[in-house]
Amino acid sequence: MPHQGRYHEPKWWKEGVVYEIYVSSFKDSNNDGIGDIPGIISKLDYLRDLGVDIIWISPHYQSPQIDMGYDISDYQQIHEPYGSMEDVDTLIEQIHSRGMKIIFDLVINHTSDIHPWFQESRALIDSPKRDWYIWRPPRYDSTGKRCPPTNWRSNFGGPTWTWDESTQQYYFHIYSPGQPDLNWENRDCRRAIYDTAIRFWLDKGIDGFRIDTVNRYSKCSDFPDAAITDPNEETQLAFQYFTNGPRIHEYISEVRSVLANYDVFTVGELPNTPDQADVMRFISAREKQLDMVFNFDTVYLGQTPGDRFRLQTFTKDDFKRELTKWQTVIQDTDAWTTVFLENHDQGRSVSRFASDDPAYRIQAAKMLAIVLGTMTGTLFLYQGQEIGMVNAPPSYPVEEYKCIRSVNHYNNIRQQTGDDPVALSEALEALQKVARDHARVPMQWDDSANAGFCAAQAKPWMRVLDSYREINVANQVGRNGSVFEFWKNMIRFRKQYRDLFVYGVFRAIDQHKDLLVFIKEAADGKRSLTVANMCDQPRQWTLPSSFSDLKPADFALSTCDTQEFHHSQLAAFEGRIYVAGTRADG
């Protein structure tokens, strides 16, 4: 087995456990039904107790909330229901006083359409800020009908172009019409982004950024039509024209130069980039671009590119392949990687990749904790993952889905099929599996009304899941055998063996299709073995030959109470870790 590459010097952002907070759904302090910054402050000791080192805050900036704060109208103001600038300053100070770090979401591909920059841009064709956004004249078909400049499809459905009546041109948006794309070709625009969205917050003392859609700043400026792959639709998939464009690395290098004077780290959201060579240009330390990125190969399983609600089947082999795909990237390279299964855009991992059946849910959540906790890279958790929160059930009413993607999809099916009940049932089934809403329901703190997210008399902005009665923080903290206590122990164990689990070299072992088995090796020769049964039936397994010398003392952690250190059978959704202190061949 090869040793750890020579490039990976220890860094706080490699070893730290990152916890994402979705502000509107974490904790409501004033009972208006919306989570807020003071609510986060009230739970910092809970997060420190869990073992969290770095807290990632979702967009908290002033916004009309067309896309839950990813449509920013002022980078230097706080969304009023979330609190004040003083609250954010207090949050930064309180996190640092507990020895933790804080990173913010950096959303600079687009703004809100009510941002003053865009308002000035759309006011007049010769406005000084006209070129800060992407404007194009219309096309006309053979009948004289006005058409958008291209046939590209937006990520939220429909065209990427919206007509502006006052100036008689279209403006471009990858996402909703309320999120016009900034024109990164304009140097003055870029400088304004760096000053208002980056330096302003770094000077307040934050420790880095999660960078939204980091590979979409550069577009193909000639704007060709996309190939017709869906003849029944007017718009077509066009990722290749607005993702990883010709100047993208020039722009990322500029962003990096802005960050150079601060001890911070960056993690980029890197969609639609499956090829490793393309990813390496972003994460190679020599390239001086990003410290790490999120690769979405695993969480996109079962989703059709360009249409997350057109579901496909995937196997456990698919899951194992994609989950471990980037584990070997640190070997003999200078790149770093991330470990995650959940965020604010994804369904819950227990529901999607294991089982949320009450008979198996707790065991399945612990099994995923063992797998993630022993993988190489920076570990990211999402709020509620530490207590095993699950997707909304099939009985969750369609009216309760709030995400713009979910609403658009269901309404499109209604319009296309004339309210066909079979089609609508299929649409709701797709929402139940992969809608972004599942991650955005209120955090489940206790079994009181509204799950302790807000007072009983308040109305949460999203309906609380009925599962809060069984799945909540209060009935897990301090309770032996709970998912929370298991995650807490797993995080402590990961830090104890950081050379092995954070920095170690990964090697997969091929066994039964339902089993995920892998070995980790540290530079000092210490080795670990992770074995996980990913199904709801017992499975036989075999110790790899290189671990034939295991001793009872090497049995380190299990999701079950078994004390048999290499018993040949794993229970349903059981996971185990073995740690051997001496090196062996094989």
Side-chain angles (χ1 to χ4, degrees), residues 111-367:
T111 67
S112 165
D113 63 347
I114 67 170
H115 193 292
W117 295 349
F118 186 72
Q119 291 295 302
E120 186 176 340
S121 180
R122 80 186 310 177
L124 297 166
I125 283 186
D126 58 358
S127 162
K129 287 191 173 62
R130 183 68 170 186
D131 194 40
W132 284 33
Y133 294 84
I134 300 169
W135 295 90
R136 291 293 184 275
R139 297 187 298 183
Y140 295 91
D141 65 15
S142 58
T143 68
K145 176 186 175 183
R146 187 190 74 226
C147 301
T150 70
N151 64 351
W152 298 359
R153 182 180 304 164
S154 87
N155 271 28
F156 291 166
T160 56
W161 300 94
T162 290
W163 177 248
D164 181 65
E165 189 67 32
S166 64
T167 58
Q168 296 288 292
Q169 286 191 339
Y170 286 89
Y171 68 86
F172 179 78
H173 51 88
I174 292 174
Y175 299 95
S176 79
Q179 296 166 285
D181 279 45
L182 290 157
N183 179 19
W184 278 68
E185 301 272 345
N186 185 295
R187 180 178 296 180
D188 290 338
C189 176
R190 297 201 307 273
R191 287 173 174 168
I193 292 169
Y194 303 153
D195 286 341
T196 62
I198 299 179
R199 290 191 181 96
F200 177 81
W201 292 106
L202 291 176
D203 289 340
K204 280 185 171 289
I206 70 167
D207 303 292
F209 293 103
R210 175 266 187 186
I211 308 181
D212 187 59
T213 59
V214 72
N215 56 344
R216 291 191 164 148
Y217 309 151
S218 175
K219 284 80 173 174
C220 287
S221 56
D222 55 344
F223 290 94
D225 266 346
I228 297 175
T229 55
D230 192 347
N232 296 320
E233 294 286 342
E234 290 186 4
T235 59
Q236 304 296 318
L237 297 179
F239 294 127
Q240 68 272 30
Y241 296 125
F242 55 71
T243 306
N244 301 323
R247 297 185 67 185
I248 188 63
H249 294 288
E250 173 190 344
Y251 298 152
I252 302 302
S253 294
E254 274 194 10
V255 171
R256 181 72 174 234
S257 68
V258 175
L259 301 171
N261 294 325
Y262 304 85
D263 180 20
V264 297
F265 87 98
T266 54
V267 52
E269 180 190 28
L270 199 74
N272 309 115
T273 311
D275 187 80
Q276 182 167 329
D278 293 334
V279 175
M280 288 297 292
R281 291 198 63 189
F282 288 95
I283 59 176
S284 167
R286 287 186 300 274
E287 298 285 350
K288 292 183 169 53
Q289 301 268 291
L290 304 166
D291 293 315
M292 63 189 97
V293 296
F294 293 121
N295 303 99
F296 296 98
D297 312 302
T298 308
V299 295
Y300 281 172
L301 282 170
Q303 302 175 26
T304 300
D307 185 356
R308 71 160 54 207
F309 300 112
R310 192 186 305 169
L311 301 182
Q312 305 170 346
T313 58
F314 65 90
T315 66
K316 290 185 176 65
D317 281 336
D318 294 331
F319 176 71
K320 290 190 290 186
R321 180 189 66 250
E322 299 302 339
L323 181 65
T324 61
K325 178 179 178 180
W326 297 97
Q327 281 294 284
T328 57
V329 75
I330 75 157
Q331 293 169 219
D332 300 318
T333 78
D334 63 348
W336 194 245
T337 191
T338 55
V339 181
F340 78 103
L341 277 180
E342 294 191 20
N343 62 31
H344 61 280
D345 284 335
Q346 308 300 330
R348 293 293 184 173
S349 57
V350 174
S351 297
R352 289 211 61 213
F353 304 118
S355 174
D356 55 18
D357 184 320
Y360 302 111
R361 170 180 52 78
I362 294 174
Q363 192 76 344
K366 293 179 184 179
M367 179 272 292

Side-chain angles (χ1 to χ4, degrees), residues 1-3 521-527 546 549 580-586:
M1 176 181 279
H3 281 293
E521 183 176 351
D524 63 359
K526 186 180 270 81
R527 296 168 300 129
S546 58
D549 59 340
T582 57
R583 189 175 178 187
D585 296 327

Side-chain angles (χ1 to χ4, degrees), residues 309 398-399 401 403-419 424 427 431:
F309 300 112
V398 69
E399 295 79 17
Y401 285 88
C403 171
I404 186 172
R405 278 191 172 181
S406 303
V407 173
N408 285 355
H409 172 70
Y410 195 81
N411 287 341
N412 287 343
I413 297 299
R414 292 188 65 178
Q415 294 167 8
Q416 292 169 6
T417 67
D419 286 333
L424 291 179
L431 292 180

Side-chain angles (χ1 to χ4, degrees), residues 362 366 475-487:
I362 294 174
K366 293 179 184 179
N475 72 10
Q476 293 193 29
V477 171
R479 178 170 293 181
N480 188 38
S482 70
V483 177
F484 174 87
E485 291 298 333
F486 192 87
W487 258 115

